[in-house]
Amino acid sequence: MSTKPTQSPMRDTSSEQPAELTLVEVSRSCAVQTHFIIELVQEGVIAPQAGTAPDSWRFADLQLRRVSVASRLQRDLGVNPAGAALALQLLDEIETLRAQITASASGTDDDSA
């Protein structure tokens, strides 16, 4: 019997850092123009993880969701980047409150036992 593994070992992705995307990669992934993303950065909707100028900016792949939501708000509702920033902030707050309610409800269930 052979002691060699039959498959190559899988990479441990849990210790890897999230992917960093360039401005152009975010633009292509979200099907938006780069100037729209620049406006979102200026409004504080998203923030580059690295880089000081648009050509050197690097974004976490998690930012894609925010760009997509902002794009849908603009396309479907005519919301400008400042309005998208406000809407995303409110959505974040709702998500935080829901998490707090869930955690509180879990704690309450434990106390009633």
Side-chain angles (χ1 to χ4, degrees):
M1 204 148 98
S2 173
T3 58
K4 287 185 179 180
T6 56
Q7 295 179 344
S8 62
M10 297 193 56
R11 283 186 356 192
D12 179 16
T13 56
S14 62
S15 63
E16 290 183 20
Q17 295 198 1
E20 288 188 349
L21 305 168
T22 66
L23 176 64
V24 172
E25 290 169 334
V26 173
S27 171
R28 287 182 185 151
S29 294
C30 297
V32 297
Q33 298 292 320
T34 55
H35 74 272
F36 178 71
I37 297 168
I38 292 169
E39 288 177 359
L40 294 179
V41 170
Q42 291 170 343
E43 290 296 333
V45 174
I46 60 172
Q49 286 188 303
T52 57
D55 289 342
S56 64
W57 283 346
R58 297 292 180 267
F59 298 92
D61 55 357
L62 298 174
Q63 299 282 354
L64 293 176
R65 179 180 173 274
R66 294 181 73 78
V67 173
S68 293
V69 170
S71 174
R72 283 196 319 259
L73 288 169
Q74 181 186 46
R75 181 187 66 232
D76 298 344
L77 302 174
V79 174
N80 65 15
L86 176 60
L88 282 162
Q89 180 183 2
L90 293 172
L91 289 170
D92 289 344
E93 288 181 26
I94 290 169
E95 190 175 313
T96 299
L97 290 171
R98 285 183 177 155
Q100 289 174 349
I101 290 169
T102 300
S104 176
S106 296
T108 305
D109 290 345
D110 292 341
D111 292 342
S112 63

